Amino acid sequence: MSREDPQLRIRLPIETKKAIEDSAKKHSRSLNAEIVEAVSYWLSAHKSPVGKPTSTIEVIWQPTKAEFEEVIKETQRTTLTEFMAMLEQEKASK
């Protein structure tokens, strides 16, 4: 990825931003790289049957079995909007 790649400006709830920051730190990635990874993974999960990788994202990430099962469960939601609303609800309940 380079600075010439298209940019996208988005608004996130503070809790979602914090969760992404925590995940980026855990995986030793920049905030941007973590977002690209998460969105790429989400998109690839919706383009193929569960367990059939469509990109190198699954090889790079190498999640634990529990992390993978959680991601698959959450990515089976019908829309990104629904997924983001669910994340906001979980953060609000903590």
Side-chain angles (χ1 to χ4, degrees):
M1 208 167 13
S2 71
R3 296 223 178 248
E4 289 78 36
D5 286 333
Q7 295 183 9
L8 175 65
R9 188 173 177 157
I10 62 171
R11 290 188 182 100
L12 294 172
I14 191 70
E15 299 85 11
T16 303
K17 183 176 183 274
K18 178 70 173 127
I20 296 168
E21 289 170 338
D22 292 346
S23 183
K25 185 175 181 179
K26 175 183 172 185
H27 296 110
S28 300
R29 289 194 275 254
S30 68
L31 187 59
N32 186 76
E34 191 68 17
I35 292 168
V36 169
E37 185 81 8
V39 170
S40 297
Y41 186 82
W42 187 88
L43 290 171
S44 70
H46 284 82
K47 290 181 181 176
S48 69
V50 173
K52 305 251 186 211
T54 58
S55 71
T56 58
I57 202 86
E58 291 86 350
V59 176
I60 294 169
W61 181 34
Q62 297 181 347
T64 65
K65 182 179 179 185
E67 288 173 321
F68 183 76
E69 289 172 349
E70 182 64 24
V71 168
I72 293 301
K73 182 177 100 178
E74 297 306 330
T75 56
Q76 290 173 339
R77 298 187 184 278
T78 58
T79 66
L80 181 56
T81 303
E82 184 180 354
F83 180 70
M84 295 305 289
M86 181 274 312
L87 287 177
E88 289 180 58
Q89 288 175 351
E90 283 184 4
K91 293 295 181 184
S93 68
K94 289 183 179 181

